[in-house]
Amino acid sequence: MTSKMKAEIRRGMVLDVQEEGRKLLSSQKKELIERLRKEVRKEIEKELGLEAEREERMRERVRRAVREEIRGEWERRVEDVRREARYEMEEKVAELEEKIEELEARDRK
C-alpha cells in the first residue's frame, strides 16, 4: 500500500468521523429544541392559567388509554373462553359420534 493510498484512507476515515459527529450534534440539537419548546409551552400555559386544562387533557388521555387496554384485555379473554368452549364442544361431538357408531355397529349385529 502506498503512502498516498494510506493518506486517502485516513482522510476518508476522518471525514466519516466528522459526518457522524455532525449527525450526533444535529440530533442532540433537535432534542434540546423540542425539550425547550415543551418547557416554554408549559410556562406560557401556566402564566395564562391553562395548566388545569392541560392536566385535564392529560388525565383524559390516560383514562382513554387505560380503557383501551382494559377493553383489549377483555376481548382477548372472551376470545380465549370462546375458543376453549369450541374445543370442548368439538370433543363432546366427537365422543357422541363415537357412541353413535358403536350403537349402530351393535344394531347391525
Side-chain angles (χ1 to χ4, degrees), residues 29-100:
K29 179 182 170 185
K30 287 178 184 177
E31 290 174 11
L32 181 60
I33 288 172
E34 186 59 33
R35 196 175 317 131
L36 288 173
R37 282 182 182 152
K38 286 180 181 180
E39 287 179 22
V40 167
R41 187 179 306 127
K42 284 181 185 178
E43 286 298 318
I44 290 172
E45 287 176 350
K46 191 174 185 179
E47 288 177 13
L48 295 176
L50 301 175
E51 190 172 333
E53 289 178 22
R54 187 176 143 277
E55 287 178 12
E56 183 57 35
R57 285 193 311 267
M58 186 96 80
R59 281 192 201 102
E60 182 56 35
R61 213 175 292 140
V62 169
R63 280 188 216 116
R64 195 174 310 122
V66 169
R67 281 193 301 262
E68 297 274 329
E69 187 176 321
I70 291 171
R71 182 179 303 122
E73 179 64 28
W74 276 105
E75 287 173 356
R76 282 189 294 278
R77 286 183 183 179
V78 167
E79 184 59 34
D80 290 345
V81 168
R82 285 181 180 162
R83 187 178 314 110
E84 187 65 32
R86 186 174 63 243
Y87 292 150
E88 289 176 8
M89 290 303 294
E90 288 174 358
E91 288 175 5
K92 287 180 182 179
V93 166
E95 290 173 9
L96 291 173
E97 286 175 347
E98 287 177 20
K99 287 182 181 180
I100 290 171

